Amino acid sequence: MPDITHPWTRFALVVIIALAVAGLVHRVADLFLRRLALRHPMGASIVARANTPLEAIVPLVAVLAAFRAAPDEPARLIDGLEHLVGIALIGACTWFLVRCIGALEATVTRFNPIDLEDNLRARRLQTQVRVLSRTAMVVIIVLGIAVALMTFPGVRQFGASLLASAGIAGLAVGLAAKPVLGNLIAGIQIALTQPIRIDDVVIVEGEWGKVEEITSTYVVVKIWDERRMIVPLQYFIETPFQNWTRTSSQILGSVLLWFDYGLPLEPLRGELERICKAAPEWDGRVMVLQVVDSNDKAMQVRALMSSTNSGKSFDLRCKVREGLIAFVRRECPAFLPRWRGDVEGPLRNLEHRAQARSHMG
């Protein structure tokens, strides 16, 4: 029978009792949280994601408490193991916080879908939550690594000496971290001011696309031909760009065509009205046909139509362009744009030359 008065035996008993209490506490807390999650959907997501880190945190806390309550002799011998458990606890707490933030982001995304016609509010919420959650995750991970490193005496002394002589070294670190810190600050600015949101239609570097993803350092823009453009967050703070869905997805589309001056405009307006009313892409707000330019050869006609979003606007513009060209070719082919030249002048010159030759002959 083991001697209960022996320090190592007492230490083993303390650890066993601590682990048993930790298991009991975890089970009671898990039952309570699951009941609470049945009433709150957001709580269910947090419980589902945070359960695994909690399974590590509770035993680690118990073991660390057992180390602190152990007799002096075992505590001195296992000092390194206690340090290792402390680092593991810091990592588990960091993991727990990151999973909780991810659960919050997933819940907001699930209850605010963007695959709706009027999704402005959902895109605003998703953008704020995604950017702020990614930024918070980066900050928490960095702080967790910093706290874990500060548990080492050598690293702590180095940090203190670095702060004490923070002249050139601090400036160098600041310059090296400028892109990272700049993107983090830009992410917070984007989340608060929202110059872009998830699923926004933008023109970046001359490319048309949609904002597909916003991370803590960059934005993924899905180009219309399935390419992806990766743009740093700071770009949207420092560089002008076009946002076609800043306040609404409604947009005007235009079609420009050249026709002869003799083309009657009223039948063309009637054909535009017929095409728009037959097209499901037209939202019924705007439908205008005007002469907007002219030169010595033809006049330029602009058809202006409205749609609920840029994708439908593109399809409507194609339909209107094809329909108006087909109408003019079918009904008024003589008024398609043609090149003209002065024929009378050259004919007279030929006649004069013929007369001169006859006189000379």
Side-chain angles (χ1 to χ4, degrees), residues 4-20:
I4 196 171
T5 61
H6 194 277
W8 281 101
T9 305
R10 290 168 54 192
F11 173 70
L13 288 175
V14 170
V15 172
I16 293 172
I17 293 173
L19 289 175

Side-chain angles (χ1 to χ4, degrees), residues 251-253 272-288 304-309 312-313 315-317 319-320:
I251 193 170
L252 297 179
L272 173 64
E273 182 178 358
R274 186 193 67 79
I275 295 172
C276 288
K277 289 184 177 180
E281 295 85 2
W282 185 56
D283 63 1
R285 292 186 300 116
V286 178
M287 179 184 58
V288 180
L304 194 65
M305 308 79 59
S306 60
S307 298
T308 54
N309 57 58
K312 291 183 178 180
S313 177
D315 294 336
L316 180 60
R317 287 165 57 200
K319 286 185 177 180
V320 168

Side-chain angles (χ1 to χ4, degrees), residues 73-87:
E73 183 181 352
R76 286 196 302 269
L77 294 175
I78 59 173
D79 193 22
L81 183 59
E82 180 182 353
H83 185 202
L84 184 62
V85 172
I87 294 176

Side-chain angles (χ1 to χ4, degrees), residues 118-145:
D118 185 12
N119 59 1
L120 183 62
R121 179 178 178 275
R123 291 191 292 113
R124 181 185 300 115
L125 287 174
Q126 283 202 24
T127 301
Q128 286 180 333
V129 171
R130 286 192 185 187
V131 175
L132 291 178
S133 64
R134 304 293 169 82
T135 304
M137 287 179 184
V138 171
V139 172
I140 289 172
I141 292 173
V142 171
L143 289 178
I145 294 174

Side-chain angles (χ1 to χ4, degrees), residues 260 295-298 334-343:
D260 188 85
N295 55 28
D296 58 340
K297 300 178 181 64
F335 298 118
L336 291 171
R338 301 175 184 274
W339 287 97
R340 290 180 173 83
D342 186 5
V343 180

Side-chain angles (χ1 to χ4, degrees), residues 39-86:
R39 303 177 183 177
H40 303 282
M42 185 176 297
S45 178
I46 293 177
V47 169
R49 287 175 175 253
N51 186 50
T52 304
L54 277 177
E55 291 179 353
I57 290 176
V58 176
L60 287 172
V61 171
V63 171
L64 193 61
F67 284 166
R68 298 293 172 86
D72 292 338
E73 183 181 352
R76 286 196 302 269
L77 294 175
I78 59 173
D79 193 22
L81 183 59
E82 180 182 353
H83 185 202
L84 184 62
V85 172

